[in-house]
Amino acid sequence: MALQLSSACYCIGRSGHRRASVAKTTAALNEAQEEKIKLGGSDLKVTRLGIGARTWGDTSFWNHLEWDDRKMKAAKAAFDTSVDSGITFFDTAEIYGSQLSFGTINSETVLGRFIKERKEKDPQVEVAIATKFSALPWRLGRQSVVSALKDSLYRLGLPSVELYHLHWPGIWGNEGYIDGLGDAVEQGLVKAVGVSNYSERRLRDAYERLKKRGIPLATNQVNYSLIYRLPEENGVKATCHELGVTLIAYSPIAQGALTGKYSPENPPTGSRGRIYTPEYLTKLQYLLNRISEIGQKYGKTNTQVVLNWLIAQDNVVPIPGARNAEQAREFAGALGWRLDGEEVEELRSLASCIKPVIGLPVERL
């Protein structure tokens, strides 16, 4: 009888633990869903952290000339886990995975498939999609922007998207591109528009041109992280604040360098290894150690701390790329809490002692 009672108590204890765990998870999801930000002067609200879908369309699905869908399944798990965790803002582009980038499946096509499958299971689910126009030299005039957006919508399987960016400034024809953004809004193809990799001067020009039509410039998407703070130095971040334009930060964990997974003894390979050398990683260790200490205070990982460093600046939305469910789940842990002002400034001060990595040349056009 004593054994039966003990077993019963154990079962009740485990059941109570499961209920508490479910309640805690539900509360976390609700908190993430409620933590949204209004993009610039538009009426569009998105989660304070988005997911970059660039790697969801590329050549990596080919393995020794045979189709390998393991990475496709991992990407699908990343999408579903993000939505389950309350992250419903996804960023893609027409060029991601396209033939122009030597890809085999366009990221928009893959993302559109994921959305369709999810809605079949949960018709009430709502996601916000951002995609981008490629300012290629042979694309001229405002109509090229509208036509490209319609092609993107076809691949996504959607009648409209929430946000449409100019991916980078063109060599010429930028005024026409901005006019095309305005046309897309007026035609109901997109709710809000933005730019990407725009300098302070180009940002102001785009803002003023759209303003004449009563259309707000919602966002500027740029490379921004704790160890790449060019937007703070070249006036872009300050101008975003002045004009009420939201800054969307791509590469927010610096290609993994800020996560702590690399070290002088274990540097990255390939192109990343040429940037994050053992010498550079040695100089980075003190900052990484401090990030880890702060993370222990909040019960968070390095990744979650550096993402929260961006979120804590109020007008910044980081969009890390998630390859699998584990990464998406970790990214979600950057929501629902906040570094204090002293910690934000301390990390910025420590990072300022480290030579910044090289960014994209288009930022200086």
Side-chain angles (χ1 to χ4, degrees):
M1 183 66 179
L3 179 60
Q4 291 176 343
L5 180 60
S6 175
S7 298
C9 290
Y10 176 70
C11 290
I12 292 172
R14 291 197 65 186
S15 177
H17 177 72
R18 285 197 296 270
R19 286 196 297 269
S21 178
V22 170
K24 183 177 180 181
T25 300
T26 301
L29 298 185
N30 290 338
E31 192 171 37
Q33 290 168 342
E34 292 172 0
E35 193 171 357
K36 290 192 173 184
I37 182 173
K38 184 178 178 182
L39 296 185
S42 73
D43 295 326
L44 178 62
K45 288 186 177 182
V46 301
T47 47
R48 284 190 170 271
L49 183 143
I51 296 295
R54 183 183 64 82
T55 61
W56 295 359
D58 58 21
T59 58
S60 59
F61 299 117
W62 289 102
N63 185 12
H64 300 295
L65 300 181
E66 292 184 359
W67 188 253
D68 184 348
D69 67 349
R70 286 177 296 178
K71 291 188 177 182
M72 178 74 78
K73 290 178 179 177
K76 177 63 164 58
F79 173 82
D80 284 331
T81 300
S82 298
V83 174
D84 291 341
S85 301
I87 300 173
T88 55
F89 178 42
F90 296 90
D91 176 82
T92 183
E94 62 173 338
I95 201 169
Y96 295 161
S98 72
Q99 293 181 353
L100 287 170
S101 60
F102 306 101
T104 54
I105 297 183
N106 190 288
S107 171
E108 293 174 327
T109 301
V110 174
L111 180 56
R113 184 185 306 173
F114 294 167
I115 295 170
K116 180 181 179 182
E117 292 173 355
R118 181 70 186 222
K119 282 186 173 290
E120 288 174 351
K121 296 179 180 178
D122 182 6
Q124 302 303 315
V125 70
E126 294 184 1
V127 295
I129 304 301
T131 191
K132 308 183 199 70
F133 168 84
S134 299
L136 301 169
W138 55 86
R139 284 180 160 173
L140 303 173
R142 62 204 300 166
Q143 186 56 40
S144 65
V145 176
V146 175
S147 296
L149 176 53
K150 289 180 178 179
D151 289 340
S152 289
L153 294 176
Y154 176 79
R155 287 186 290 270
L156 286 161
L158 298 172
S160 64
V161 289
E162 282 66 33
L163 181 62
Y164 196 45
H165 284 120
L166 301 181
H167 206 155
W168 59 80
I171 299 174
W172 48 67
N174 284 286
E175 290 185 350
Y177 295 155
I178 298 298
D179 291 341
L181 291 181
D183 294 344
V185 172
E186 293 176 351
Q187 292 179 32
L189 301 175
V190 62
K191 294 180 181 177
V193 291
V195 293
S196 181
N197 298 304
Y198 266 46
S199 66
E200 176 189 357
R201 178 182 62 81
R202 289 188 180 277
L203 181 62
R204 290 185 183 278
D205 290 345
Y207 175 88
E208 292 297 334
R209 193 167 185 86
L210 286 169
K211 183 180 178 181
K212 292 177 182 178
R213 298 174 67 174
I215 298 172
L217 179 67
T219 55
N220 186 18
Q221 185 177 134
V222 295
N223 187 351
Y224 184 38
S225 71
L226 185 55
I227 56 173
Y228 187 80
R229 299 184 315 288
L230 183 63
E232 296 179 2
E233 300 162 2
N234 63 9
V236 165
K237 186 171 183 289
T239 302
C240 283
H241 180 76
E242 174 193 339
L243 301 178
V245 174
T246 300
L247 191 154
I248 296 180
Y250 68 79
S251 200
I253 55 177
Q255 297 180 303
L258 288 169
T259 67
K261 70 177 181 179
Y262 301 129
S263 68
E265 297 75 30
N266 180 40
T269 58
S271 59
R272 294 185 184 185
R274 291 191 289 272
I275 299 173
Y276 303 107
T277 63
E279 293 77 15
Y280 185 89
L281 291 170
T282 297
K283 297 176 182 177
L284 195 61
Q285 288 309 298
Y286 185 80
L287 174 62
L288 293 178
N289 290 340
R290 183 58 185 137
I291 292 170
S292 181
E293 291 172 359
I294 292 174
Q296 290 174 15
K297 170 185 172 182
Y298 291 97
K300 299 294 180 179
T301 65
N302 278 31
T303 299
Q304 292 163 345
V305 171
V306 296
L307 289 174
N308 195 270
W309 182 82
L310 292 165
I311 294 169
Q313 298 179 57
D314 292 329
N315 197 36
V316 178
V317 177
I319 50 167
R323 294 178 181 269
N324 52 53
E326 182 181 1
Q327 288 182 342
R329 196 173 295 113
E330 183 177 20
F331 296 157
L335 294 169
W337 63 285
R338 197 64 60 91
L339 292 170
D340 64 40
E342 290 184 2
E343 290 164 334
V344 170
E345 290 308 316
E346 179 191 2
L347 291 177
R348 177 181 281 112
S349 177
L350 290 175
S352 67
C353 300
I354 302 168
K355 184 179 179 181
V357 297
I358 299 172
L360 295 174
V362 292
E363 295 173 303
R364 294 176 172 81
L365 286 177

